[in-house]
Amino acid sequence: MKSIEVISPGMHTSFQDLGRADYAHLGCPVAGIMDEYHAKLANTLVQNSVKEAVLEISLKGPELKFLHSALICVTGLGAEVFVNGQQKKINFAFVVKGGDVLEISRITQGNRVYFAVHGGFNVVHTLGSASHFHPLTKHLKLQKNQEIQLNKVSLEFNKLHLNAHVSVENQHYFLSEIEVEKGPEFKQYAKQLLPQLKTGEFQVSKKSNRMGIELLPALKLTSHSILTNVIQPGCVQLTPSGKLIVLMKDAQVSGGYPRVLVFPQRSMDVLSQKRVGEKLYLCFKQET
Amino acid sequence: MVNYNYHIQDFFKLNNQFLLIQLKQEISPSNLQAILHIKSKIEKLFPAAYVYFTYAEIGVRFPYFEDINEKLEQLKEVFLSTEEEALNLSLTSKTIEVPVCYSPEIAPDLGYFLKHKKLSLEELIELHTSPQYLVYFIGFLPGFLYLGGLNKKLFFPRKNTPSPTIEAGSVGIGYEQTGIYPQDSPGGWHIIGKTPQQLFDASATKPVDFQAGNKLKFKSISLDEYKSLTTKNS
């Protein structure tokens, strides 16, 4: 069987795909890829469907040994990627041979990169998705010495367009302005919220993960609980102490804090790559 | 009868795939009935849509390729042009019994709770096992049931500082709500009992036994029964 051996799993490496959005009625988070642009780019570069699972790799990457040849790529804003010690470009597909060792030693820009293999990973699906989410899946991330099976590839390498070019348009990740939209409870807080957003400089707090990203400093206003209502990734909750929490892919599907703003997916992609302490500004989309 | 103009307050476009239908902000069986009715109507209108809901809000997700603004207009037209419709859904469909052991040995906050509420253990068990709780929806954690019907005498504030780990199966009270933690998780409710029953099984074809509209009844079991049921389930 075609497979990959996990020599070391890295800091937080997990399988992610488009998630299990159809299980919110059972209380299951959507889960799935945080930065959709780069994950979809990874699948596109190795000529997969964007629905294929990829490995989402945070900060310090894994060391993977290939037992067979494969067409692979690593996508993101910046990372040091080596095959048998030789540095490779990111956002570029290339072929590895059986016995080769891929090492993603360090993510130099952003928080996470994506790793895809032509044909895709043969991963157990739980409730329609390969996305790691404990306890729906046995583990919450990739394990040391785990063996990853690959799907049978649909095309032989000689039939692949190995020099196919995909233009990478990720310039907007380097801007500090992030576009937001109004949330369902925006109106109730608009008077106090708007002036603070206009002048506000925020930064990503340490208390940020795949469930939510907290923005600091807290706003000078207090919120009141609402009835437990529907929440989706991208909703921004205003906590009673005035903190904004942007709900990300592993967030709960229901919650009782007012949803004052909404991050469109493109903005969630960008936010997911902002590092702790990085400064950012929130601006409203022109059309609204 | 479902009176749309009474129940539905607003529509909201959350993103280019997801719409919210906002109902009267209340926790009531009549709201739940209206929600179930509206949900089945939407599913008939838009078979490709996915619908889920909470106490007073319905979320509708459409596939990427559909025009969300057009869908929003269609929904408004359907629900705002007709004032009311006959309701053929009943909430008294099914009652499921959940065994709970109310013992301080496995319920860390039971002693504290009884002392502060000035209740005996027998009184607590009587008050907690008598009602038929209505399942409003599932949210918060996989398999977490939002239940209505807690006796007012058992209302009790949440902890000031949430406990870092509450074990799966713990039955708790958080102000006017009672419920079961389906998995280990942090939480701010006071734990008064524990069930050996598994609330969520991701490998099952039906991961959760309950659905909104079902009734739940707690049944008191002894510590020995709890222990034997726990070993059987593991």
Side-chain angles (χ1 to χ4, degrees):
Chain A
M1 276 313 290
K2 289 209 167 246
S3 61
I4 296 173
E5 214 178 274
V6 179
I7 300 171
S8 78
M11 221 169 86
H12 191 105
T13 303
S14 62
F15 281 112
Q16 299 294 342
D17 55 17
L18 300 181
R20 41 182 79 82
D22 284 357
Y23 290 89
H25 66 291
L26 300 182
C28 301
V30 173
I33 44 182
M34 289 276 274
D35 177 354
E36 290 196 3
Y37 175 79
H38 285 103
K40 287 176 178 175
L41 177 68
N43 268 326
T44 307
L45 281 167
V46 296
Q47 297 163 47
N48 286 345
S49 146
V50 295
K51 288 180 182 165
E52 283 295 339
V54 294
L55 280 176
E56 183 175 276
I57 295 158
S58 296
L59 294 170
K60 166 89 181 69
E63 225 179 309
L64 306 170
K65 185 179 177 181
F66 292 84
L67 305 184
H68 296 270
S69 56
L71 175 68
I72 67 167
C73 76
V74 176
T75 59
L77 296 178
E80 289 169 356
V81 177
F82 300 94
V83 172
N84 305 331
Q86 196 191 351
Q87 191 155 4
K88 290 282 181 183
K89 274 203 282 188
I90 62 160
N91 301 331
F92 198 80
F94 54 91
V95 174
V96 289
K97 298 184 303 297
D100 282 355
V101 174
L102 170 82
E103 190 197 351
I104 299 167
S105 67
R106 208 163 63 88
I107 294 175
T108 52
Q109 271 186 311
N111 291 317
R112 34 183 68 85
V113 294
Y114 292 89
F115 168 68
V117 177
H118 172 63
F121 302 105
N122 184 2
V123 208
V124 178
H125 281 56
T126 309
L127 306 180
S129 166
S131 295
H132 268 114
F133 181 84
H134 184 72
L136 295 188
T137 56
K138 193 175 163 208
H139 299 291
L140 93 158
K141 56 185 182 179
L142 201 64
Q143 304 294 302
K144 192 179 161 71
N145 296 330
Q146 187 177 337
E147 200 164 292
I148 305 170
Q149 302 295 330
L150 300 181
N151 288 328
K152 212 170 157 242
V153 293
S154 53
L155 290 169
E156 292 304 321
F157 286 150
N158 58 16
K159 290 190 186 130
L160 286 167
H161 303 286
L162 288 180
N163 294 316
H165 181 75
V166 177
S167 73
V168 179
E169 287 173 14
N170 59 9
Q171 298 83 356
H172 61 288
Y173 283 82
F174 299 96
L175 304 174
S176 52
E177 287 85 22
I178 297 184
E179 273 188 351
V180 297
E181 288 166 15
K182 291 166 186 169
E185 281 76 45
F186 176 82
K187 265 188 222 152
Q188 290 95 296
Y189 297 93
K191 227 174 128 185
Q192 289 171 287
L193 196 61
L194 269 174
Q196 296 191 56
L197 289 182
K198 245 175 215 153
T199 53
E201 182 185 86
F202 295 97
Q203 49 177 300
V204 171
S205 124
K206 271 187 292 197
K207 281 197 230 154
S208 298
N209 52 36
R210 283 188 44 87
M211 284 181 77
I213 293 179
E214 185 186 77
L215 300 180
L216 291 177
L219 299 171
K220 287 184 194 72
L221 61 96
T222 47
S223 76
H224 306 282
S225 291
I226 53 170
L227 218 54
T228 300
N229 271 333
V230 166
I231 49 181
Q232 283 283 297
C235 285
V236 183
Q237 291 184 322
L238 179 66
T239 69
S241 59
K243 279 181 191 156
L244 294 173
I245 298 172
V246 188
L247 297 168
M248 302 303 279
K249 293 298 176 77
D250 284 354
Q252 299 165 12
V253 295
S254 60
Y257 292 139
R259 304 150 295 181
V260 289
L261 300 171
V262 177
F263 272 52
Q265 183 56 49
R266 190 176 139 98
S267 298
M268 287 174 73
D269 289 355
V270 173
L271 183 66
S272 76
Q273 296 289 9
K274 296 284 180 202
R275 290 192 166 183
V276 172
E278 211 172 318
K279 292 191 167 56
L280 55 98
Y281 304 87
L282 305 179
C283 58
F284 284 99
K285 253 182 147 169
Q286 292 307 316
E287 57 171 27
T288 47
Chain B
M1 300 289 254
V2 180
N3 184 334
Y4 297 127
N5 288 344
Y6 173 80
H7 286 285
I8 296 180
Q9 293 201 321
D10 212 350
F11 295 84
F12 191 88
K13 189 176 88 174
L14 205 63
N15 58 42
N16 61 4
Q17 251 194 305
F18 204 95
L19 294 176
L20 292 175
I21 302 173
Q22 301 181 294
L23 284 83
K24 209 168 151 48
Q25 293 292 299
E26 64 177 31
I27 302 174
S28 68
S30 85
N31 236 13
L32 176 58
Q33 276 188 304
I35 287 172
L36 292 173
H37 177 88
I38 293 166
K39 177 178 181 276
S40 72
K41 200 162 168 161
I42 296 171
E43 285 168 340
K44 271 190 209 109
L45 279 167
F46 308 116
Y50 171 75
V51 185
Y52 84 99
F53 58 89
T54 54
Y55 289 121
E57 209 169 61
I58 304 172
V60 190
R61 201 187 76 252
F62 293 96
Y64 270 117
F65 50 83
E66 296 192 11
D67 179 352
I68 196 84
N69 293 318
E70 189 189 301
K71 297 289 169 202
L72 180 58
E73 291 315 310
Q74 277 175 277
L75 279 179
K76 281 183 180 171
E77 202 174 305
V78 168
F79 291 110
L80 299 181
S81 62
T82 37
E83 278 195 4
E84 51 188 292
E85 219 168 294
L87 192 69
N88 52 7
L89 284 157
S90 155
L91 293 183
T92 52
S93 49
K94 190 172 147 190
T95 302
I96 301 173
E97 215 173 53
V98 173
V100 178
C101 171
Y102 301 87
S103 160
E105 212 173 299
I106 51 171
D109 309 314
L110 186 59
Y112 179 88
F113 185 89
L114 293 175
K115 196 176 143 212
H116 279 79
K117 295 297 289 182
K118 298 192 172 66
L119 289 171
S120 70
L121 182 59
E122 291 68 33
E123 285 168 323
L124 165 80
I125 293 173
E126 171 62 23
L127 289 168
H128 199 250
T129 55
S130 300
Q132 283 209 318
Y133 298 96
L134 176 59
V135 178
Y136 277 98
F137 65 98
I138 303 169
F140 171 48
L141 293 170
F144 184 87
L145 310 171
Y146 280 83
L147 301 174
L150 183 67
N151 190 308
K152 277 200 176 98
K153 287 179 191 155
L154 295 178
F155 285 11
F156 199 59
R158 293 174 181 86
K159 292 176 183 170
N160 287 333
T161 316
S163 308
T165 337
I166 289 179
E167 287 175 28
S170 294
V171 176
I173 288 178
Y175 190 50
E176 79 293 3
Q177 284 183 292
T178 188
I180 311 157
Y181 284 85
Q183 64 197 55
D184 292 357
S185 106
W189 291 12
H190 289 90
I191 303 308
I192 56 158
K194 223 170 157 192
T195 177
Q197 196 163 311
Q198 197 182 344
L199 269 290
F200 191 93
D201 180 3
S203 62
T205 42
K206 209 178 158 219
V208 185
D209 275 339
F210 292 91
Q211 63 183 54
N214 287 163
K215 297 279 175 63
L216 180 150
K217 209 162 183 323
F218 291 118
K219 183 192 161 209
S220 174
I221 57 167
S222 71
L223 192 57
D224 285 343
E225 283 173 289
Y226 172 84
K227 283 178 179 162
S228 77
L229 284 167
T230 313
T231 31
K232 215 193 290 169
N233 286 356
S234 61

